[in-house]
Amino acid sequence: MQPATREQILNCSDFNQLLNTEYGKRGTQTREQFEAEAEAFVFNAQKKAAMKEARNADLKTYSRCGTDVGIVRAVSHKKTQTLCKL
């Protein structure tokens, strides 16, 4: 499949038409590869956001309980030397 020209891309009226112009119709190897990479990107972004949210919730819980966050982080990263210095 030849790469789409700038004019072909600008003449697209909706997103599906843009995908067809840029990557071919559904079922083609190029389009399937693009969709697989797009799904992986979205999954990774959602995973990152969920991990960040969970980490923030943990930090709030530790501060409410009066636990030193530095100690919790050291334990979670298995940095026992840091604990010995404290």
Side-chain angles (χ1 to χ4, degrees):
M1 186 176 151
Q2 294 179 336
T5 65
R6 185 177 198 278
E7 190 169 315
Q8 287 174 323
I9 292 171
L10 292 175
N11 287 333
C12 294
S13 59
D14 63 12
F15 191 66
N16 284 326
Q17 190 177 10
L18 176 65
L19 288 177
N20 289 339
T21 302
E22 195 69 21
Y23 300 103
K25 295 195 182 272
R26 281 186 172 237
T28 61
Q29 184 179 5
T30 308
R31 177 74 175 261
E32 293 298 321
Q33 181 180 353
F34 167 77
E35 288 186 357
E37 290 174 4
E39 284 180 22
F41 176 81
V42 169
F43 175 77
N44 220 5
Q46 290 173 335
K47 181 179 136 190
K48 245 186 220 181
M51 289 175 69
K52 184 176 181 179
E53 187 177 317
R55 187 171 39 250
N56 288 339
D58 287 347
L59 293 177
K60 286 179 185 175
T61 303
Y62 299 145
S63 66
R64 278 190 225 133
C65 296
T67 305
D68 183 16
V69 176
I71 292 175
V72 173
R73 285 186 179 152
V75 170
S76 68
H77 293 295
K78 299 180 182 175
K79 295 182 180 176
T80 55
Q81 293 176 352
T82 305
L83 286 174
C84 293
K85 290 179 185 177
L86 297 175

